[in-house]
Amino acid sequence: MTTLVTGAGLIGSAAAKLLAARGGKVVLIDLRAPADIPPGVTFIRADITDTGQIDQIIQDHSITAILHTAALLSTAMRADPVLGLRVNILGTAALLEACRRHSIHRIVLISSTTVLYSGFSTLGPDPIPEDAALHLVSQRPGSLYAVSKLTCEQLGLLYRDLHGVDAISLRLGAVVGGDTDAPTSVPGRLFSTLVEAARAGHPIALDDPLLIWKGNEEFVDVRDCARAAVAALDATHPQTGVYNIVHPAQWSLDAVIAAVESTHGKLSVSYDRSVSTGFAGFPHVRPAGSSTEAAQQELGFSAAHDLQDSLRHWWPA
């Protein structure tokens, strides 16, 4: 099997490394070359919205499966909404069409648990399943990123129904790890900020509203994201089609601060404790964790890395 991995970012590169390490043929594409190309991985500079180029790569390398991680994140989408929607939605549509035309064995799409954040006011207290009900108008997605990810999930399911394309979507929780020098994601900024303060031994005031939240939030390590992607590529009977990929524990901001203290030393943090919003500024507080039952039963996947382990691995003391 030869796997095409789109996106040479954190998850794409980590998954490509896992696939190559077990002897698989891997083609990794992105507009920019990664700093390190994993051994056994062929890198090609390519645009996922260029259907002719994608077709040529599939033909030249006899691609049999696709892992699609390439996307613009929330900050980049706010800066250029049209580009973000073109890359995230039309890029996914182009890959699904390529799967249909070339009879690709499977395509795995990277999604996000943020697609259900708008439903938090009516969900819970039981673990939130993938097929949770949302009111289409009043609980519409709260960000361009969530809109794009929910749309791509629906496209994947529709291509399953109409064309027999074996599409799977993985809803990732807040991803922890990766490049810790200049993080752009909300969890990356949060953990880097706290760890740097602990290392310096200086008190810190968290005044960015995206970095403070009421209640609990769930996270997932980059390494687990890569393992889940490989598990989805390998799964023999993935009936649900959409799966939550998170560590089963949920964390308050105070618990996160305590975890940083346990790995990096004493930390004095002040923040607005009257905050009423959920993680990353979303209006509603998380009412429950995401159910991981489907991922365990159909993909054989369970997260292996808790938050302390992620801190020790990505931000060594």
Side-chain angles (χ1 to χ4, degrees), residues 124-129 218 244 246-250 286-292:
D126 294 328
I128 300 171
E218 57 194 12
N244 295 323
V246 300
H247 190 277
Q250 290 91 51
R286 173 175 285 281
S290 299
S291 172
T292 58

Side-chain angles (χ1 to χ4, degrees), residues 21 37 39 73 99 211 223 259 311:
I37 300 173
L73 301 182
C99 288
L211 302 187
R223 294 168 292 173
L311 285 164

Side-chain angles (χ1 to χ4, degrees), residues 114-124 132-143 146-147 150 282-284 287:
T114 60
V115 302
L116 287 180
Y117 277 25
S118 59
F120 280 178
S121 62
T122 55
L123 295 175
L134 291 178
H135 298 289
L136 291 177
V137 176
S138 61
Q139 294 181 324
R140 58 193 178 273
S143 68
V147 164
L150 184 57
F282 281 90
H284 300 295

Side-chain angles (χ1 to χ4, degrees), residues 165-310:
V165 173
D166 195 355
I168 294 175
S169 293
L170 302 181
R171 286 183 186 160
L172 307 184
V175 177
V176 180
D179 183 2
T180 59
D181 293 329
T184 57
S185 69
V186 170
R189 287 165 47 207
L190 171 69
F191 289 110
S192 290
T193 298
L194 294 177
V195 168
E196 288 171 9
R199 286 171 173 167
H202 296 154
I204 184 175
L206 286 179
D207 53 11
D208 184 338
L210 297 183
L211 302 187
I212 59 178
W213 68 94
K214 181 179 179 180
N216 297 325
E217 189 47 72
E218 57 194 12
F219 300 93
V220 61
D221 191 286
V222 168
R223 294 168 292 173
D224 280 327
C225 296
R227 289 178 51 247
V230 174
L233 288 167
D234 290 345
T236 55
H237 300 291
Q239 298 300 312
T240 304
V242 179
Y243 303 91
N244 295 323
I245 304 298
V246 300
H247 190 277
Q250 290 91 51
W251 300 75
S252 67
L253 179 52
D254 284 342
V256 167
I257 292 169
V260 174
E261 285 189 314
S262 72
T263 55
H264 289 79
K266 186 64 178 175
L267 183 58
S268 175
V269 182
S270 61
Y271 65 91
D272 180 7
R273 293 182 176 272
S274 68
V275 64
S276 60
T277 52
F279 186 74
F282 281 90
H284 300 295
V285 175
R286 173 175 285 281
S290 299
S291 172
T292 58
E293 183 177 350
Q296 293 171 7
Q297 292 182 352
E298 298 184 20
L299 305 183
F301 171 80
S302 296
H305 305 287
D306 63 14
L307 196 54
Q308 283 95 342
D309 183 52
S310 296

